[in-house]
Amino acid sequence: MSSEQAHRSVEVAARVERRWATIAVIIVVGMALLAAFAGIHRATMPQPRVETTDPSRIHLSGEFVESNLGSVLEANGNVTVRAIGQQYSFTPACIVVPADTPITLRATSADVVHGILIQGTNVNTMLVPGYISEQLMRFTKTGDYLMPCQEFCSFGHEGMWGKVRVIDKTDFANRAKAGGRLSCVGQ
Amino acid sequence: MSTRDLFTFSNRHFTIGVGVIAGILVVTGIAGFIVLPFAQPWVQFANVWDAICSAAGVPQRAANVTAPEQAKRLSEVVLTSRTLSRPSQEAIGRGATLAQRCAICHGPTGISRADSPNLAGQYAAVIYKELHDFRSGARTNAVMSPFAVNLTDEEIADLSNYYAYLPRLPAYHPTPQLPKPNIVIYGAPMRGIAPCGACHGSLDNKTGSPWLEGQSEAYLKVQLQAFAAGDRRNDISQQMRNIARAMTPQEIEAAAAYYASQPPDVVKAVD
Amino acid sequence: MLVNRKLILAHFWLAFAVFGVALTLGAWQMFIRSPIGTWLSNPELYYRSLTAHGTVMGYVFPTLVAMGFGYAISESALEQRLVGVRWAWTGFWLIVIGSVMAVIPIALGRASVLYTFYPPLIGNVFYYLGVVLVVVGSWIWVALMSINLRVWRKAHPGAPVPLAMYANVAGSYLWAWTAVGAALELLLQIIPVAAGLKNTIDAGLARIFFSWTLHAIVYFWLMPTYIAYYTIVPRAIGGRVYSDSMARISFILFLVVAMPIGMHHTFADPQVGAGFKFIHSAFTALVALPTLLTVFTICASVEIAARLRGGRGMFGWIRALPWDNPMMLALAFSFVMLGFGGAGGLINMSYQLDASIHNTQWITGHFHLIFGGAIVIMYFAIAYDLWPHLTGRELIDIRLIRTQLWLWFVGMIVTTFPWHWVGILGMPRRMAYFDFGDPAIAPQALSVTFSAIGGFILLTSGIMFIVILARGMRTPKVDAGPYRFAIAVHQSATVPVALNTHALWVALMIVLTITNYGYPILNLALGAGTSVPAVYVGAQ
C-alpha cells in the first residue's frame, strides 16, 4: 500500500467513524429529550420537594399519627393517602382508594429503609426514614392490587406485603361521608 | 503540544471536553431546575427561587396537618435501639427493691405462677414501654394499671433494667415442647405476616417486641385476640394489630400454644 | 514480557476461587426461593447467603480480576518489569485479610445487611472493616498502575502509551475515585455506628454516598472486558483494531461520565431533589455513548478479521469468522448479552420507565445479564487467553472451553430473561421466599422456576471453567511466546497529548462529581437534621 493510499484509507476510516459517532450522539440526545418530554406530559415525575420528619416520633404528632393514616377525600375532590412502612407491615395494611381520581400518596418509614411498589402499576417509591415520600397516582381499574415492600428491611422482609383496593368512585364518596380516614383493613 | 498546554484553550481536546460538559450541565440544569418544575401544573411554586430550591432538594419540614382526634389513648413511648442499653448496677439494685411489689403476680424470680407474663430476662425496652403505656393509659388492665400509675420515669427504667438482668428461667408449669407451626416459622407472606421470630427474638429483635418463649398460653392468646379485635392498641402505628388481625383463630391458638411450650434458651441475647 | 506470573496467577486463582463459592451460593438462592425449593425455616440464612454472594461478586471477585489483569497488561504492554512487586503483594494480602474479616461475621449471621449496606440497618463492624481493607488493597494497585506508567513514560518520552495500558490506567483511576463514595459512607457514617461510637445515622445521605459508588463500580467491572474487546479479541481472531483513537475516546468517556450519574439509582428516593435526578438521568444517557462507539469499533475490527480471512459480501463475512475460536465465541455472546442488558439499562435510566421496574426482579435480572453475562464471560476469555502465558502450559480442552462458554451464555439467558419478566409483573427483590400458591402471584411461578434452572446451568459452567484452568496447570510445558495485544489498522507514531495522558479527564471527572454530587451531599450532611436511630441486625 503506497503512502497516499494509506492516507486516503485513514480518511475513509475517520469519516465512517465520525458518521457513526454522530448517529450515536443523536440517539443519546433523543433519549434525553424523550425523558424530558415524558416528564412534562405524564405524571411520573420524581417528587418535587424533599421533606423531612423524625421517624421515632411520627406516632406522637404530625401527619403520620395513627388517626391520620389512611385515605381522605379532599375538598377539591382529590384523595390523599397517608401511610407508613415499618418492620414488617404497612399501616394501613390495606389502602382503599377510588378509581379515576387523582391521588396523592404520602408515606414515610418508622425505622429502616422500605419501599412501596403497587403491582401492575408504575407506583413505586422508596421509604427512607427521616424523609417523606410523595407520589401521585391514578387508578383506572377497580380491584385488589398487591403492595409488597421492595427493599430489604431485615429478616422479616419476605412477609411485608400490603394491599391496595381500588373501589368505585361513588362508593368511596359514600364511605367518606362518615368522616375520618378510610382503609380496607379487616374487610 | 506538550503536557503543559493540556489545560489551555489552545488544546482542542480541553476546549471540546470542557465546553461540551459545561454545555450539557447548563442545559440539563435549566431543564431540571426551572423548566421541568414549572411544566408540572400539579405542583405549585411560589416563585423561581422556590422551584430551584425544591429541585435542588433543600429539606423542608412537612406542612402542619390537623389530624382527626384520637378516639383512644395510644402509646407515646419513643423507642430506639439504644433505649436502656447500658444499665448500671445501682439501677438494677433499685429495680430489685421496687420489684418486690410485682412478685405477687410475676413471681419472685420473674416467673409467674399464674397467667401473668414472665419477666425474667425480658428485653429492657419491652418492660419500659409497657410500663409507660400502663401508666399513660394506652394499655389498661384492672390489676396492672393501678401499680403503674404512680411509677416515676426513673422507677420504670430501674424495673426494666432489673427484670432484663434476671436469668431466663423455664416456665413454672412447663409443658411438652410442641413442634413449630407454619405460622410461626414462615408467617403468611401474602397476608402480610412475617415469621414471628423476625421481631420476637429467635431470628432478630425489633426494639419493643418481647421474646415469648415460656409465656402463659392463655395470656398470649388473649393478647393476640385483643390486638386482632383492636381492644389492645398500644403497639406503635399498629405494628402488632396488623399482624394479629391477619391471623386466623386457629393460627392464634397454634402460635400461643407453641410459644408457651418453649424453653427460654432459644432466644438470642441483645448486647 | 510476563515476569511476575506468580503474582498474577495468585490474583486470578483467588478471584476464581471466591467466584466459585459465591456462584454456588447464588445457585442455591435461586433454587431455594423458587417454587421447586422449600421455604426456609430461617429466612435469615437466605439474607446471609445473599450478603456473601453480593459482597464477593461485587467487591472481591471483579477487583481481583482487574488487578491481576492490570499487572499482566502493565508487564506485557509496557514490556517492563512491574515496579513495586512487594507493594503488589501487600495489596493482595490486604484483600485476603479483608475478605476473611468480612466473611466471618457474614457466616456467623452477624452482618446480614446485604452488600448494599443500606443503613440504618447495621451489622457487625468487622464486616465493614473487611470491605474497607479490600478497597484499600485495591488502591495500592491503582497507585502501582500509575507509577508503572510514569516509569515507562520517563524511558519513552512522548511515545504513545499502548492502548491496553492507557485503558487499564483509566480503569484504575475510575475505581480509585468511584470507591471514595462508599468509603466515605463507611468511614464517616457506618463504621462509627457499628463500633458503637454513635447511634444515629442519616439513611438518605448514606444512599447518596452509595449511589456514587454503585453505578460507576459497574464500569470498573466492565473495564477488563472492554480492554479485552479492543486489545485482545482482534489479535486473537487475526484482525486489527479499527481505530486506536476511537478506543481511547471511549475509555476517556467512561472515565468522565461513568461517575456523576449514580443518582439514577435513587430516582424513587425522597431525599434527592428532582433537578439533580434529571441531570443524572441526562448524564446516564451520555454513558451509552462510549458503549455505542465500542460496538461500532469492535464490529468493524471483527469485520476486518473476517475480510482478511476471505469473507465477502454485505453480511457474508460473518460466516468467515473463526467461530471455533473461544475468543470469537465469547465476544459474540458478550455482545448479545450487552445488547439486551444495555437495552434494559436504557429503561432504568429514564425515570418515567424506571418507576415500573425499580427494585423489582427486573433490576437483579438486568445487572446479572450485564455483569454476570457480558462482563464475566469476557473474564473467562481473558483467563483462557492469558493462561498459557502465565503457566507456560497449553490449554488443550478447546472443545470443553467452547462448551463452557455456550453453557454460560445459555444459562445466563435462561436465568435472566424470566427474571426480567417477573420484574415487569412487579415481583420485589431480595425476598427469602414467595407464596406462589397465592393466585395473585401464581403466574410468576413458571418464570421463577426457569430462572432457577438457569442458575444450575451457570453453576455447571462455572465448575467447568475452574476445572479447565486447573487442568491447564498440569499439561506439558510449551513456550507460549510473549503476550501481545492487538494493533490498530493505522498505528500512528504520535497521539495527541490529551489522548495519551489522563490528567485532563481525571480533572473533568472530579469537577463533574462536585457539580453533580457536591450540593446533594453537603445539603444533607450539614444540618438537615435527618439522622435516625440505627437498627442493629441479628440481635447483637
Side-chain angles (χ1 to χ4, degrees):
Chain A
M1 180 158 40
S2 76
S3 75
E4 196 186 328
Q5 263 180 322
H7 188 70
R8 266 227 309 278
S9 75
V10 173
E11 271 181 7
V12 171
R15 200 166 57 233
V16 177
E17 217 169 65
R18 264 200 304 277
R19 249 181 242 156
W20 174 254
T22 314
I23 295 171
V25 169
I26 291 171
I27 294 174
V28 167
V29 172
M31 289 188 307
L33 286 179
L34 211 61
F37 177 82
I40 296 168
H41 288 274
R42 278 301 309 154
T44 41
M45 283 293 283
Q47 61 185 74
R49 289 191 176 86
V50 172
E51 293 177 79
T52 62
T53 180
D54 180 355
S56 49
R57 313 183 77 87
I58 50 176
H59 60 297
L60 299 182
S61 63
E63 62 178 302
F64 295 106
V65 297
E66 196 180 307
S67 62
N68 204 33
L69 297 177
S71 314
V72 61
L73 188 58
E74 306 283 0
N76 62 3
N78 293 359
V79 167
T80 304
V81 180
R82 289 190 178 79
I84 63 154
Q86 64 196 347
Q87 288 174 328
Y88 298 97
S89 62
F90 296 102
T91 303
C94 181
I95 291 173
V96 67
V97 290
D100 299 317
T101 308
I103 300 162
T104 306
L105 170 68
R106 286 176 65 81
T108 190
S109 161
D111 38 42
V112 301
V113 176
H114 300 280
I116 280 186
L117 159 74
I118 303 180
Q119 291 197 346
T121 73
N122 60 354
V123 176
N124 196 334
T125 186
M126 302 303 302
L127 305 181
V128 180
Y131 302 88
I132 296 171
S133 304
E134 185 178 287
Q135 176 131 44
L136 303 179
M137 49 194 200
R138 190 188 182 102
F139 296 86
T140 47
K141 270 194 223 129
T142 57
D144 281 3
Y145 296 75
L146 288 174
M147 185 178 75
C149 169
Q150 39 82 325
E151 185 56 271
F152 174 68
C153 54
S154 203
F155 311 155
H157 172 52
E158 68 287 340
M160 190 166 166
W161 291 71
K163 216 171 243 170
V164 172
R165 180 165 299 157
V166 181
I167 61 173
D168 187 66
K169 211 172 165 172
T170 46
D171 285 353
F172 186 88
N174 287 333
R175 288 185 52 186
K177 275 181 196 146
R181 302 292 176 259
L182 302 183
S183 78
C184 44
V185 164
Q187 290 160 15
Chain B
M1 191 178 51
S2 76
T3 338
R4 225 171 305 136
D5 302 324
L6 193 57
F7 287 91
T8 60
F9 284 102
S10 61
N11 175 3
R12 192 168 56 96
H13 290 100
F14 176 78
T15 319
I16 295 177
V18 173
V20 168
I21 294 289
I24 296 173
L25 264 181
V26 169
V27 170
T28 54
I30 292 172
F33 285 80
I34 299 170
V35 178
L36 281 178
F38 281 108
Q40 303 167 60
W42 55 90
V43 195
Q44 301 298 320
F45 294 101
N47 50 46
V48 179
W49 185 241
D50 180 30
I52 292 174
C53 288
S54 296
V58 178
Q60 305 172 355
R61 279 279 155 184
N64 268 332
V65 175
T66 42
E69 201 59 33
Q70 201 68 60
K72 282 203 181 136
R73 189 117 198 189
L74 297 175
S75 181
E76 286 153 20
V77 180
V78 174
L79 287 177
T80 73
S81 48
R82 278 289 168 257
T83 303
L84 300 186
S85 64
R86 304 250 179 278
S88 66
Q89 284 302 316
E90 296 78 59
I92 293 169
R94 288 193 302 269
T97 316
L98 286 165
Q100 286 171 359
R101 62 181 112 151
C102 316
I104 306 172
C105 296
H106 294 288
T109 56
I111 298 297
S112 170
R113 297 174 184 196
D115 285 331
S116 311
N118 303 330
L119 302 179
Q122 186 53 274
Y123 303 124
V126 172
I127 301 173
Y128 173 86
K129 176 175 177 297
E130 297 308 319
L131 282 176
H132 271 282
D133 286 346
F134 275 120
R135 190 177 69 175
S136 71
R139 185 177 176 190
T140 52
N141 176 284
V143 183
M144 188 64 212
S145 297
F147 279 95
V149 215
N150 297 317
L151 292 174
T152 65
D153 285 359
E154 201 202 3
E155 286 171 336
I156 288 180
D158 292 345
L159 276 167
S160 310
N161 284 325
Y162 167 69
Y163 276 115
Y165 159 84
L166 286 184
R168 290 172 182 172
L169 297 172
Y172 189 70
H173 297 295
T175 52
Q177 235 174 299
L178 294 174
K180 252 188 190 186
N182 279 350
I183 188 69
V184 172
I185 312 177
Y186 307 118
M190 303 314 280
R191 279 182 277 147
I193 304 176
C196 305
C199 295
H200 289 289
S202 57
L203 294 174
D204 203 352
N205 172 231
K206 179 175 165 64
T207 309
S209 311
W211 58 270
L212 305 170
E213 282 75 2
Q215 295 293 1
S216 142
E217 182 179 347
Y219 174 75
L220 289 172
K221 203 170 130 184
V222 167
Q223 296 309 315
L224 277 170
Q225 287 164 341
F227 276 128
D231 297 333
R232 183 178 164 187
R233 44 176 75 202
N234 70 319
D235 52 329
I236 295 172
S237 298
Q238 307 202 35
Q239 49 192 246
M240 192 63 215
R241 274 168 285 170
N242 284 338
I243 308 297
R245 233 176 353 235
M247 291 170 79
T248 63
Q250 295 77 16
E251 285 168 345
I252 287 182
E253 278 183 25
Y258 164 76
Y259 274 109
S261 75
Q262 295 303 299
D265 49 9
V266 298
V267 183
K268 283 192 188 177
V270 191
D271 271 322
Chain C
M1 176 173 119
L2 286 166
V3 182
N4 289 291
R5 299 174 187 186
K6 227 174 158 180
L7 174 77
I8 299 162
L9 266 179
H11 280 81
F12 278 123
W13 265 126
L14 182 61
F16 297 136
V18 295
F19 165 76
V21 175
L23 182 66
T24 312
L25 290 178
W28 174 77
Q29 288 158 216
M30 295 301 283
F31 166 74
I32 203 71
R33 67 171 179 74
S34 77
I36 44 177
T38 44
W39 288 10
L40 278 173
S41 61
N42 180 355
E44 190 269 327
L45 287 177
Y46 178 82
Y47 303 120
R48 193 185 298 192
S49 173
L50 191 53
T51 308
H53 176 82
T55 305
V56 167
M57 292 300 205
Y59 303 137
V60 184
F61 164 58
T63 309
L64 283 167
V65 169
M67 288 168 73
F69 189 39
Y71 293 133
I73 291 171
S74 179
E75 291 210 315
S76 48
L78 299 183
E79 293 178 339
Q80 159 188 304
R81 281 181 84 107
L82 186 72
V83 179
V85 176
R86 211 172 283 171
W87 278 105
W89 279 109
T90 311
F92 176 78
W93 284 109
L94 274 178
I95 292 189
V96 173
I97 296 168
S99 306
V100 172
M101 192 191 268
V103 159
I104 289 174
I106 297 176
L108 296 175
R110 291 303 184 112
S112 304
V113 293
L114 311 193
Y115 83 108
T116 43
F117 311 143
Y118 291 149
L121 287 177
I122 297 288
N124 185 281
V125 67
F126 287 101
Y127 168 61
Y128 305 110
L129 290 174
V131 173
V132 169
L133 280 190
V134 169
V135 172
V136 170
S138 70
W139 278 346
I140 292 180
W141 166 76
V142 173
L144 286 178
M145 289 300 98
S146 178
I147 290 166
N148 276 279
L149 181 57
R150 188 162 306 178
V151 169
W152 184 87
R153 270 195 222 277
K154 275 228 175 92
H156 307 79
V161 176
L163 176 62
M165 189 60 180
Y166 186 78
N168 178 36
V169 174
S172 76
Y173 290 155
L174 175 64
W175 170 238
W177 187 242
T178 292
V180 168
L184 289 172
E185 181 194 3
L186 286 169
L187 297 175
L188 301 179
Q189 291 197 280
I190 295 180
I191 289 176
V193 177
L197 305 173
K198 267 176 68 184
N199 49 44
T200 61
I201 188 164
D202 192 319
L205 179 60
R207 287 176 67 84
I208 295 181
F209 274 135
F210 197 72
S211 80
W212 166 334
T213 294
L214 186 55
H215 197 70
I217 198 174
V218 179
Y219 295 98
F220 165 62
W221 300 339
L222 196 73
M223 279 295 174
T225 295
Y226 272 47
I227 294 172
Y229 285 167
Y230 279 106
T231 67
I232 298 182
V233 172
R235 185 259 296 147
I237 62 169
R240 296 283 189 95
V241 182
Y242 181 77
S243 162
D244 179 78
S245 53
M246 192 61 117
R248 284 167 199 263
I249 289 171
S250 296
F251 286 107
I252 285 167
L253 279 171
F254 274 127
L255 187 55
V256 177
V257 294
M259 231 302 299
I261 62 175
M263 277 190 201
H264 68 251
H265 292 240
T266 63
F267 281 158
D269 278 25
Q271 81 281 11
V272 182
F276 281 102
K277 287 176 183 171
F278 181 75
I279 291 183
H280 281 243
S281 181
F283 273 94
T284 312
L286 211 59
V287 88
L289 198 56
T291 294
L292 289 169
L293 296 180
T294 299
V295 169
F296 170 77
T297 308
I298 300 305
C299 287
S301 308
V302 168
E303 186 182 342
I304 293 171
R307 298 214 185 268
L308 286 174
R309 293 169 59 97
R312 294 275 170 276
M314 183 90 154
F315 293 107
W317 56 270
I318 293 172
R319 251 179 305 151
L321 286 168
W323 288 107
D324 53 348
N325 183 329
M327 190 57 79
M328 185 64 230
L329 208 56
L331 175 78
F333 291 153
S334 181
F335 262 38
V336 171
M337 293 190 278
L338 187 70
F340 283 110
L346 295 180
I347 288 169
N348 307 345
M349 62 138 245
S350 108
Y351 46 49
Q352 286 79 24
L353 293 173
D354 177 66
S356 310
I357 43 83
H358 173 75
N359 261 355
T360 64
Q361 300 274 4
W362 166 286
I363 299 298
T364 27
H366 167 72
F367 66 72
H368 278 84
L369 185 55
I370 287 272
F371 175 45
I375 295 176
V376 168
I377 205 164
M378 290 309 289
Y379 288 1
F380 295 156
I382 290 169
Y384 289 144
D385 197 56
L386 261 175
W387 221 245
H389 299 269
L390 295 174
T391 59
R393 297 162 196 273
E394 206 182 351
L395 286 179
I396 43 173
D397 308 318
I398 299 299
R399 272 180 79 107
L400 200 59
I401 290 177
R402 282 201 298 264
T403 316
Q404 188 266 327
L405 293 171
W406 266 106
L407 276 182
W408 191 262
F409 173 67
V410 172
M412 199 47 83
I413 299 290
V414 174
T415 305
T416 58
F417 278 34
W419 218 347
H420 278 80
W421 172 242
V422 292
I424 293 175
L425 296 180
M427 186 175 174
R429 281 172 85 170
R430 299 175 152 179
M431 283 192 172
Y433 46 77
F434 294 87
D435 186 357
F436 292 110
D438 190 284
I441 62 169
Q444 299 164 8
L446 190 62
S447 303
V448 178
T449 308
F450 274 118
S451 275
I453 294 169
F456 283 102
I457 300 176
L458 290 173
L459 181 60
T460 312
S461 173
I463 293 170
M464 284 170 72
F465 171 67
I466 290 169
V467 167
I468 292 167
L469 292 189
R471 282 171 52 172
M473 308 291 288
R474 295 168 184 276
T475 44
K477 288 255 179 202
V478 285
D479 180 20
Y483 192 69
R484 295 196 189 289
F485 295 95
I487 47 172
V489 178
H490 304 288
Q491 196 78 38
S492 60
T494 58
V495 173
V497 181
L499 300 189
N500 205 31
T501 58
H502 300 90
L504 172 60
W505 314 113
V506 170
L508 266 181
M509 165 177 85
I510 293 174
V511 168
L512 264 183
T513 308
I514 293 169
T515 57
N516 289 10
Y517 268 104
Y519 182 78
I521 287 174
L522 291 178
N523 180 28
L524 298 185
L526 306 175
T530 39
S531 285
V532 302
V535 175
Y536 296 86
V537 302
Q540 35 195 308

